[in-house]
Amino acid sequence: MARAAQTYTAAQAAKILSVSERRVRQLVSEGKLDGSRDGGGVVQLSQRSVSEERKRRQASGKGSASRAPARSRATKASVDVDQIAEKVASAVSQRLEGQIEITRRAESLVRSELDEERARRMEAEAKLAEAQRRIAELEAASEKKRGLFRR
């Protein structure tokens, strides 16, 4: 399965390179593209090989526009997949960084609220302890007074 993720079929490579599937097979047989047939006879090409060929074609100006003048302007414009991938990765990265910052702020707020609640609890526990001490003192004083009246 890892092999399939690192390869293209002849049809996929043809779309990426803006050539026909037949031309892709020719490039494989000429040794210009690294590819082989799998058990089902389907030509599999390495992604690295296709990417290098696409970059070589862009650099030399051998794109689809020079061979197919009848194509529409949309298909004439060469698409830089790496540039698009970088833009997408950048946008995703920025969004994730924003979400991480929001999470950090929320965590900070929750921590400060927790600290405040702990301080309130400690204060309430101190008041409770003081009240219990005072009750014990009053009860002890009450016992002493009762002892005087019993005589």
Side-chain angles (χ1 to χ4, degrees), residues 95-131:
R95 182 169 180 174
L96 288 176
E97 287 173 1
Q99 290 176 346
I100 289 170
E101 182 60 28
I102 290 170
T103 303
R104 282 184 190 139
R105 288 182 184 177
E107 181 183 8
S108 175
L109 179 64
V110 168
R111 285 184 187 276
S112 67
E113 288 176 354
L114 180 61
D115 290 342
E116 290 173 6
E117 285 298 318
R118 284 181 180 150
R120 281 191 216 119
R121 186 193 78 214
M122 290 175 69
E123 185 180 322
E125 287 175 350
K127 286 181 180 179
L128 176 63
E130 178 61 27

Side-chain angles (χ1 to χ4, degrees), residues 6 8 34 45-53:
Q6 297 173 351
Y8 291 124
D34 181 29
L45 297 101
S46 72
Q47 288 181 355
R48 180 191 50 78
S49 174
V50 173
S51 178
E52 288 173 0
E53 177 66 15

Side-chain angles (χ1 to χ4, degrees), residues 2 12-13 28 45 56 60 72 77 92 105 110 123 125 136 138 140:
Q12 291 169 328
V28 170
L45 297 101
R56 186 188 64 76
S60 67
S72 71
V92 169
R105 288 182 184 177
V110 168
E123 185 180 322
E125 287 175 350
L138 292 174

Side-chain angles (χ1 to χ4, degrees), residues 127-142:
K127 286 181 180 179
L128 176 63
E130 178 61 27
Q132 288 173 339
R133 187 189 61 75
R134 180 73 176 132
I135 290 171
E137 286 176 2
L138 292 174
E139 286 177 346
S142 170

